[in-house]
Amino acid sequence: MAGGPAIPSSFEPFPGASFFHTGRKSPIVAAMHRRLVAEGCNRYQSSANTDVWGPGDVKSYAAFQRKLGLAGDDANGIPGKTSWDKLQVPDV
């Protein structure tokens, strides 16, 4: 509908690499955690504090990046826009 409100995306937009730092607490991190587990990239030691970015997120995201065929600095566990978009984290 012309002039109407924009239809929101069904996926969380990439929040930028600087968003992902140790201790960051966010429902986005929890949604990402669930997607990584669903993708078979669960490298978490526990399911506690799923909404806080930590070492398990880095390991799990790196596993997802490698699953996409990335290597080296492109598979360092810090989300980039391309891999984030492919993960398809639901809007929170």
Side-chain angles (χ1 to χ4, degrees):
M1 161 164 46
I7 297 171
S9 166
S10 58
F11 301 115
E12 195 63 46
F14 179 58
S18 63
F19 175 86
F20 301 98
H21 61 80
T22 301
R24 163 73 79 174
K25 184 173 180 156
S26 170
I28 294 171
V29 174
M32 178 206 69
H33 176 113
R34 290 188 295 274
R35 284 293 300 132
L36 289 170
V37 170
E39 285 290 326
C41 297
N42 182 358
R43 303 299 183 272
Y44 295 99
Q45 295 298 311
S46 78
S47 59
N49 300 316
T50 60
D51 61 345
V52 178
W53 179 264
D57 297 296
V58 174
K59 290 177 187 172
S60 298
Y61 205 91
F64 178 69
Q65 290 167 321
R66 288 189 301 274
K67 181 177 178 179
L68 295 176
L70 303 173
D73 288 345
D74 293 331
N76 64 3
I78 303 301
K81 181 167 177 18
T82 301
S83 61
W84 181 263
D85 290 348
K86 289 181 180 182
L87 186 57
Q88 298 183 328
V89 176
D91 273 337
V92 292

